[in-house]
Amino acid sequence: MGTYSERAAATSQRHLRSCLPRRWRHVQAVAVKAERLACLVGDDADLLTAAAWLHDIGYAPDAADTGLHSLDGARWLQRRGFEARVAALVAHHSCAAYEADERGLGQALAKEFPREETATSDALWYADMTTGPDGQDLSVDERLEEIRERYGPDDVVTRFWHRAEPTLQDAIRRTQIRMSAQPT
């Protein structure tokens, strides 16, 4: 693990482990999965791992603000001097733009953080959306079902996933193609 991802891991641990132990288990497993996928992203390997460690930092009590954890986390990271690109990856992870639209924060997210469509962003989405809340491996379909059950049919999170699922599935497929072309 490189220096940048080590800082990210320590930051995530400090802000999630005690207050949100279930979220912490999820984050740890996402980071391990991202490390395994690092060979797919070339020079972005450390950046991918750092973003995985930090993708849910917006749930931390001292980061939460708007209710959109991806935006809250990205802003929090930016204020603490983390690289702009890692903040942007956190801001847009796992179809966050769809949730931002549901919460009336779509323009703010788009204006503050550029969205990338790269092997790195795809790998982050894959690592997150194939890892359950307790760190277990799930298919993306199992993960979406778990989210729908946890939040219920009328929650904003369930609503945004109905629209976002095709975009997520595309990112998952692209990562799976990269994985099959290069064993991880």
Side-chain angles (χ1 to χ4, degrees):
M1 187 167 27
T3 305
Y4 197 62
S5 54
E6 287 173 355
R7 177 182 175 213
T11 299
S12 184
Q13 179 178 353
R14 191 168 45 257
H15 293 277
L16 295 175
R17 185 177 67 180
S18 302
C19 60
L20 297 168
R22 189 173 197 208
R23 181 71 51 193
W24 173 239
R25 286 191 300 275
H26 167 75
V27 166
Q28 289 176 91
V30 169
V32 167
K33 195 172 285 187
E35 287 176 2
R36 290 196 318 259
L37 297 171
C39 64
L40 304 178
V41 300
D43 291 342
D44 282 351
D46 196 45
L47 183 75
L48 168 61
T49 304
W53 278 112
L54 296 166
H55 79 281
D56 278 350
I57 198 72
Y59 286 115
D62 60 336
D65 179 38
T66 67
L68 179 61
H69 80 278
S70 57
L71 179 60
D72 293 345
R75 286 174 171 169
W76 188 90
L77 292 168
Q78 196 172 50
R79 288 191 305 269
R80 280 153 185 78
F82 278 84
E83 183 179 328
R85 192 161 166 226
V86 80
L89 285 166
V90 167
H92 287 282
H93 79 276
S94 302
C95 296
Y98 290 89
E99 184 177 1
D101 288 343
E102 284 286 328
R103 294 182 183 277
L105 295 166
Q107 288 182 337
L109 180 68
K111 181 180 177 183
E112 292 177 44
F113 299 98
R115 180 171 174 237
E116 64 179 73
E117 294 182 30
T118 63
T120 305
S121 62
D122 286 353
L124 178 61
W125 292 22
Y126 179 92
D128 182 29
M129 295 304 298
T130 61
T131 304
D134 293 306
Q136 69 274 41
D137 282 330
L138 299 175
S139 71
V140 69
D141 293 330
E142 291 168 329
R143 177 75 161 125
L144 289 170
E145 183 58 31
E146 177 277 319
I147 289 169
R148 290 179 181 118
E149 287 177 13
R150 184 165 27 113
Y151 285 93
D154 299 321
D155 192 86
V156 65
V157 173
T158 303
R159 286 196 314 267
F160 96 75
W161 275 118
H162 286 297
R163 292 186 309 111
E165 188 171 347
T167 301
L168 173 66
Q169 293 285 5
D170 287 344
I172 298 299
R173 271 192 291 283
R174 288 189 300 267
T175 300
Q176 290 170 329
I177 289 167
R178 290 179 188 108
M179 291 166 65
S180 67
Q182 179 173 346
T184 54

